[in-house]
Amino acid sequence: MRTGIKTLTFVVGTGRSGSTALSQVLRLHPDVLSLNELYACVDGPPALSHEPLTGREFWRCLTEPMEVFDRMVRSGTPLPEFLYNRHPEWRYSAETTGIPAVSMMALPHLTDDPDALLDALEPEVTAWPERPAPQQWEAFFGALASRAGGREAAVERSGYSLHRVELLRSLFPHARFVHLFRDGPDCALSMSRHNGYRMIALLREIHRRTGAGRDAPLGKLTEEQLKQLPDDLRHLLDSEFDPALVLDRTMPVPEFGTLWSELIREGLGQLAAVPPEQRTTLSYESLLDAPRQELARLAGFIGVQPFAEWLQEGEELFDGAGRRGSALRLPAGELAELRENCAPGEEALGVLPRPAP
């Protein structure tokens, strides 16, 4: 990279695998620029393409609100990972202005005053010349790093990102990839209890029923496509919807095992094309069992020093992050079905299914 940032790493996974905690640990490292859920918010073309963009065009990509996230805030189903909407004294609102995409989760992860950081970045970014989007991103990482006191490594981490490896690698061919994963049944159970993954499952169903591509903007569905949806799904696309459509809907846990397996198999297929020296794996369970050892290995991979104080802070954070085996408390029949649906993903990972309790 040519921006003062020496390495760029993407932590990719299905989500619900300890990735938010990992971002918190990375933020504590003095040489790491921790980019939290950046590409969960700044989505699709032209931002994630090779298209030439002026500085002003790139700035619009960074600040245009992500409608589905604002809609969830307005409807009382915000994700726990959303940071900006928790502070009513900040300038932007999902109800009025819309929350700038880069402000929803990325900037509040870096500063207690994301509005001031946004204001400071605007004149710099909008003055940039026209160049391909990946070069604008590299410049943006450098601008953020300089305001954080200078950082050697940028690490972007978005929870629901494993299916984007091919795209990210095409934009940043020298980037490194860390696949963070978790035991399949435990991960699927966590998904089933999370607003975001319940919404993801419902939006995937909308895409399936309408025949729209998975990445097609749902706001651009035709009237004919909308007619193919039952009322409960169609109303999820309203500017504001009844939160019960997401929170109270019956969504069997084993269905999330199927989702987990699909994401794992697709993502591992894309990771296989990444040169071995540019990829590694990290399991949630290993972070719980041996946080110092795994964080030291991660530091080496992304190109920073595993400082003792940082390892201590990481160990303390993961000590309270949770434990394994939550799926084992499900009823026997439900657990058996969940394991069956997770088996394709477990097989792809090369992980043997756990013995029955």
Side-chain angles (χ1 to χ4, degrees):
M1 300 186 68
R2 301 178 294 279
T3 61
I5 293 291
K6 296 179 180 178
T7 64
L8 171 63
T9 302
F10 293 101
V11 178
V12 296
T14 64
R16 310 313 299 158
S17 302
S19 55
T20 300
L22 184 60
S23 275
Q24 294 169 351
V25 173
L26 289 168
R27 182 184 58 185
L28 299 173
H29 196 291
D31 294 328
V32 172
L33 175 68
S34 178
L35 301 167
N36 176 57
E37 302 277 11
L38 179 61
Y39 290 143
C41 293
V42 183
D43 190 20
L48 297 184
S49 74
H50 290 278
E51 182 177 331
L53 297 173
T54 66
R56 289 192 178 278
E57 290 169 338
F58 182 66
W59 184 250
R60 283 198 294 272
C61 293
L62 295 175
T63 56
E64 184 176 357
M66 192 166 184
E67 174 54 30
V68 66
F69 286 167
D70 278 358
R71 188 161 66 241
M72 293 179 76
V73 173
R74 290 193 298 268
S75 302
T77 60
L79 305 190
E81 292 82 2
F82 290 174
L83 300 176
Y84 193 95
N85 58 291
R86 302 178 188 177
H87 301 272
E89 72 278 9
W90 288 349
R91 180 186 310 157
Y92 300 99
S93 163
E95 289 77 14
T96 55
T97 60
I99 298 172
V102 74
S103 296
M104 182 65 87
M105 292 182 275
L107 296 191
H109 180 72
L110 297 173
T111 175
D112 292 332
D113 194 347
D115 290 342
L117 180 54
L118 195 72
D119 290 344
L121 288 165
E122 181 175 14
E124 178 178 355
V125 174
T126 56
W128 288 344
E130 183 178 77
R131 52 193 169 187
Q135 293 182 27
Q136 299 287 28
W137 280 114
E138 291 185 1
F140 184 62
F141 301 154
L144 287 175
S146 68
R147 285 168 171 77
R151 304 293 167 115
E152 296 181 2
V155 181
E156 197 280 338
R157 193 283 313 170
S158 295
Y160 179 60
S161 56
L162 188 54
H163 61 289
R164 281 185 161 182
V165 169
E166 184 176 12
L167 171 62
L168 294 172
R169 183 168 175 254
S170 75
L171 298 174
F172 307 102
H174 300 297
R176 307 172 188 189
F177 290 85
V178 178
H179 177 209
L180 177 62
F181 64 93
R182 182 183 185 184
D183 170 84
D186 284 352
C187 190
L189 177 60
S190 183
M191 288 177 173
S192 74
R193 297 169 172 173
H194 187 273
N195 294 356
Y197 284 86
R198 293 173 71 85
M199 190 67 158
I200 285 169
L202 294 171
L203 294 180
R204 284 167 67 99
E205 177 67 8
I206 290 174
H207 280 111
R208 187 188 68 78
R209 285 175 177 261
T210 60
R214 183 177 61 187
D215 296 324
L218 291 176
K220 296 183 179 180
L221 292 177
T222 66
E223 283 297 322
E224 190 62 33
Q225 287 174 313
L226 291 173
K227 289 178 182 178
Q228 300 176 43
L229 298 174
D231 287 346
D232 56 344
L233 291 180
R234 187 169 62 252
H235 286 312
L236 287 175
L237 304 179
D238 294 344
S239 176
E240 189 171 333
F241 57 82
D242 182 350
L245 293 175
V246 175
L247 302 181
D248 297 342
R249 189 186 191 95
T250 299
M251 302 180 73
V253 174
E255 292 182 1
F256 289 89
T258 300
L259 172 61
W260 179 83
S261 283
E262 290 175 356
L263 294 173
I264 288 287
R265 287 166 63 88
E266 178 184 7
L268 291 185
Q270 296 183 21
L271 278 169
V274 178
E277 66 274 13
Q278 289 177 236
R279 56 179 161 90
T280 191
T281 61
L282 185 62
S283 81
Y284 176 66
E285 288 77 17
S286 69
L287 282 168
L288 295 180
D289 291 343
R292 284 176 177 263
Q293 176 181 332
E294 291 298 277
L295 289 173
R297 184 172 65 86
L298 175 64
F301 179 76
I302 66 179
V304 297
Q305 292 297 314
F307 299 120
E309 182 179 353
W310 176 69
L311 294 176
Q312 175 65 34
E313 291 174 325
E315 182 177 48
E316 291 173 357
L317 196 150
F318 274 106
D319 184 56
R323 288 292 179 265
R324 69 182 74 199
S326 54
L328 295 175
R329 292 188 284 274
L330 291 172
E334 189 175 22
L335 177 59
E337 185 178 357
L338 175 59
R339 280 178 161 164
E340 181 179 355
N341 290 356
C342 287
E346 297 275 10
E347 181 181 0
L349 282 169
V351 178
L352 292 176
R354 294 174 303 180

